[in-house]
Amino acid sequence: MSKVKYYYDSENLAYRKIKTKKTKKFGFFILFLLASALFGFLSFVILLNTPYFETPKDRLQAREIDNLKLNYSILNKKIDELNAVAAAIEERDNTIYRTYFNTAPISDEERKSGMKSKNRYAELEGYDNSKLVQKTTQRIDILTKALAVQSKSLDEIVQLAKAKNNLLSAIPAIQPVKNENLKRIASGFGYRSDPFTKARKMHEGMDFTAKTGTPIYATGDGVIARADNTASGFGNHIVIRHGYGYQTLYAHLSKYKARRGQRVKRGDIIGYVGSTGRSEAPHLHYEVHKNNRVVNPLNFYYGNISAVEYVAISKLANQENQSLD
């Protein structure tokens, strides 16, 4: 119960009660409420920003967040290192490997396609460190995609290398008769005088003069497509299909050392020099076909002769003389 206060009325010589106006009471009440609210707000702000009022759980969460930021920083540095290594591999892939195999390089757009979608990382939004998490996740995804593309590319390079090796083995790259067994290059590729009609006509191969029984060698890897004497003028002859559009013919053999369907390697003996069919003397008539067109065999003798020997053979082969078949 509040105390009753009095004042002395000197005119009437008596004590009278002090009466407080209602509006004044209400003002005091409002002032009290405002002061209480201000005090409460200041207390909340001080409590929120003063470490002395942190709970153990708050301190644990703060340490975990700091540790998370540190781990993300370390992870991004490792991503930088991996990106540098991946970029070097991509550079070698595009400028060396694919150039060597005459294959189109892989563009950056293809390596990183689909990695810049705005909605791809929507589930990582709304957190205190969303930008850090989103950026790191995106960098990992881009690196993962690049490594997957590069792995596929290297698998393709391996297959191209195998095919290239097979191609190099299939190309007819040596002389069918060794130089030490040759008497001479009787006739080369081009227009020559026919030994029987004396008319000038196209000679579609090269004639190697050698003794009957001189070994004849397969000039590239392949499969024996023919080993018979049914083609007009060639006598006993062999045709090898090398693949990749290449085919070679060996005519006027004395005998065979290979049969139809047999797979042979470059340098294998497939038959022996003779003079069967339309032939004027013992020799080997040799032709090279590329994509069903006859080409000059002289362009393929880089596998077993020197530059000096090539020049000498070239001079002999280009002389417009008389062929032997």
Side-chain angles (χ1 to χ4, degrees):
M1 184 176 179
S2 60
K3 293 181 179 180
V4 179
K5 295 183 179 181
Y6 296 87
Y7 72 95
Y8 181 72
D9 186 358
S10 57
E11 291 182 2
N12 298 312
L13 302 175
Y15 286 95
R16 300 186 183 279
K17 291 183 179 180
I18 299 175
K19 297 181 180 179
T20 305
K21 295 181 179 180
K22 291 183 179 181
T23 55
K24 196 172 183 180
K25 287 183 178 181
F26 183 75
F28 283 135
F29 179 73
I30 294 299
L31 182 63
F32 173 77
L33 289 180
L34 290 174
S36 299
L38 179 62
F39 177 78
F41 175 75
L42 292 175
S43 299
F44 176 75
V45 171
I46 294 172
L47 181 65
L48 187 66
N49 293 278
T50 304
Y52 299 106
F53 294 98
E54 286 184 335
T55 65
K57 184 177 180 180
D58 293 334
R59 290 193 292 271
L60 178 62
Q61 287 180 342
R63 284 197 299 268
E64 289 179 349
I65 292 173
D66 290 339
N67 187 47
L68 181 66
K69 290 180 179 178
L70 176 61
N71 287 334
Y72 268 92
S73 176
I74 295 172
L75 178 59
N76 274 282
K77 289 181 179 179
K78 291 182 178 180
I79 293 173
D80 289 338
E81 295 173 357
L82 292 174
N83 278 332
V85 174
I89 295 175
E90 290 172 4
E91 178 70 15
R92 288 198 297 271
D93 183 32
N94 282 343
T95 61
I96 298 177
Y97 308 144
R98 291 184 168 271
T99 299
Y100 177 77
F101 293 111
N102 195 28
T103 303
I106 301 175
S107 65
D108 289 339
E109 291 76 12
E110 186 178 353
R111 291 181 185 275
K112 298 177 176 62
S113 62
M115 292 293 108
K116 296 183 179 180
S117 173
K118 293 182 179 180
N119 298 324
R120 186 179 180 87
Y121 307 102
E123 72 276 6
L124 299 176
E125 295 178 354
Y127 300 97
D128 292 339
N129 298 287
S130 289
K131 289 185 178 180
L132 175 63
V133 176
Q134 284 179 322
K135 180 181 178 182
T136 304
T137 304
Q138 183 182 37
R139 296 188 71 196
I140 291 174
D141 287 347
I142 291 173
L143 180 60
T144 302
K145 173 68 180 295
L147 291 175
V149 173
Q150 188 58 57
S151 176
K152 184 178 179 180
S153 175
L154 291 177
D155 289 341
E156 183 182 349
I157 293 297
V158 170
Q159 295 303 316
L160 289 172
K162 290 179 179 179
K164 188 83 170 184
N165 186 57
N166 293 336
L167 169 62
L168 293 175
S169 298
I171 293 174
I174 64 172
Q175 283 184 180
V177 178
K178 290 183 178 180
N179 277 339
E180 57 265 29
N181 297 327
L182 285 178
K183 289 184 177 180
R184 64 190 178 94
I185 303 294
S187 182
F189 181 86
Y191 283 94
R192 301 291 183 265
S193 176
D194 186 280
F196 300 99
T197 65
K198 306 305 179 183
R200 187 173 181 269
K201 71 172 188 177
M202 181 65 183
H203 188 245
E204 296 184 337
M206 291 185 70
D207 291 341
F208 296 87
T209 302
K211 293 181 179 179
T212 298
T214 299
I216 298 170
Y217 300 91
T219 56
D221 294 2
V223 177
I224 304 294
R226 294 187 64 168
D228 56 54
N229 61 359
T230 58
S232 176
F234 287 140
N236 297 331
H237 67 285
I238 286 175
V239 173
I240 299 178
R241 288 179 182 163
H242 302 278
Y244 306 97
Y246 288 100
Q247 185 171 289
T248 51
L249 179 144
Y250 313 76
H252 312 302
L253 280 60
S254 60
K255 59 180 180 179
Y256 308 105
K257 199 184 176 182
R259 65 185 183 278
R260 184 172 180 271
Q262 179 181 338
R263 182 170 293 277
V264 294
K265 295 285 188 180
R266 179 185 294 144
D268 288 350
I269 297 176
I270 57 173
Y272 300 92
V273 172
S275 188
T276 58
R278 192 173 185 271
S279 172
E280 194 174 59
H283 74 287
L284 169 68
H285 175 80
Y286 173 65
E287 295 181 6
V288 176
H289 297 246
K290 178 69 168 74
N291 295 329
N292 298 318
R293 296 180 62 183
V294 181
V295 293
N296 192 344
L298 185 63
N299 297 328
F300 296 87
Y301 301 148
Y302 54 80
N304 66 340
I305 62 174
S306 65
V308 175
E309 290 173 325
Y310 178 85
V311 171
I313 292 173
S314 179
K315 287 181 179 180
L316 292 172
N318 287 325
Q319 293 177 358
E320 189 168 335
N321 53 10
Q322 179 178 287
S323 65
L324 293 179
D325 47 33

